[in-house]
Amino acid sequence: MNTYKVPELRIHAILPESVANGPGKRTVIWVQGCSLGCAGCFNPQTHSFHQGTRVNPLELAQEILSQQTSIEGITLTGGEPLFQIEALESLLSTLRANSSLSVILLTGFEWDEIFRLQGDRLFPYVDVIISGRFIKEKRLAQSFIGSANKEFHFLTTRYSLSDFQDVPVCEITISPEGNTFITGIDPLAW
Ligand code: SF4
């Protein structure tokens, strides 16, 4: 008998709670792996497809669901999430079927490229897609979207552009283990 094995999701990091990566308090998942090569990328440590941690997306979904009362949703970023469509579909379909958590997906692909890559396969599970390459000349010194050319695509009525206007531009989190996360763009690094 053939058994279907759910593809693993390669992740760079997870921040359980953030208020600077979309509206409300959100779990942020940085996936590992990107070959888009945007000049001036602020997250080069996420590029290798051989690093990071491989996780079962169904187990990750259960972990997020166990915390669902303390967050509004999740934000997927990277790295490039759309290089891992099958694993993402397992994660996101499980979340959508079992919660009202919202999903924001940041991708370096342009809108037409997204269709060529995955059609509308992930659309039923995503509320907002923020698309487009990071363009150094258009970078925003602060903000989780990176550069001003990025396009917002609202796939559900859950959010509108005004919901993103009050998102803090930068956030520094120190975990109990002493690990520091800086989200949004680190203005000190430029
Ligand atoms: S898509 Fe994102 S992670 Fe990939 S190179 Fe561009 S800015 Fe960096």
Side-chain angles (χ1 to χ4, degrees):
M1 187 176 79
N2 289 333
T3 51
Y4 174 70
K5 193 167 180 295
V6 177
E8 291 176 312
L9 181 67
R10 192 178 283 273
I11 59 170
H12 174 73
I14 295 180
L15 185 57
E17 293 186 6
S18 166
V19 295
N21 285 274
K25 196 183 289 180
R26 319 186 66 80
T27 294
V28 188
I29 301 168
W30 285 267
V31 304
Q32 181 73 35
C34 181
S35 57
L36 293 183
C38 306
C41 171
F42 46 88
N43 231 351
Q45 65 276 24
T46 65
H47 290 182
S48 169
F49 288 93
H50 304 291
Q51 296 176 356
T53 307
R54 292 189 301 188
V55 300
N56 181 317
L58 301 180
E59 290 174 8
L60 177 58
Q62 291 308 321
E63 198 180 316
I64 294 168
L65 288 170
S66 72
Q67 308 294 328
Q68 63 175 299
T69 54
S70 58
I71 55 173
E72 177 167 331
I74 71 163
T75 296
L76 283 156
T77 184
E80 176 46 61
L82 294 183
F83 283 127
Q84 304 191 61
I85 288 172
E86 280 193 49
L88 275 192
E89 189 172 25
S90 298
L91 169 68
L92 298 181
S93 61
T94 304
L95 293 180
R96 185 110 314 175
N98 295 285
S99 76
S100 58
L101 292 171
S102 63
V103 174
I104 296 171
L105 171 67
L106 279 95
T107 172
F109 285 105
E110 307 293 341
W111 189 236
D112 59 331
E113 293 175 318
I114 293 170
F115 279 97
R116 284 205 295 278
L117 263 178
Q118 59 98 50
D120 57 2
R121 191 168 161 183
L122 294 179
F123 288 5
Y125 317 120
V126 179
D127 295 286
V128 185
I129 293 180
I130 303 173
S131 69
R133 302 285 193 280
F134 171 72
I135 298 179
K136 194 177 175 183
E137 293 72 26
K138 295 186 177 176
R139 85 172 176 92
L140 300 168
Q142 300 157 324
S143 162
F144 74 107
I145 70 167
S147 58
N149 59 294
K150 291 274 191 173
E151 293 180 352
F152 285 74
H153 307 276
F154 297 95
L155 306 183
T156 68
T157 56
R158 181 130 180 197
Y159 296 119
S160 64
L161 208 49
S162 62
D163 294 308
F164 288 80
Q165 283 164 358
D166 295 330
V167 175
V169 293
C170 188
E171 175 185 64
I172 299 175
T173 310
I174 302 173
S175 73
E177 297 77 33
N179 298 319
T180 303
F181 279 94
I182 301 176
T183 62
I185 303 292
D186 175 12
L188 301 178
W190 294 76

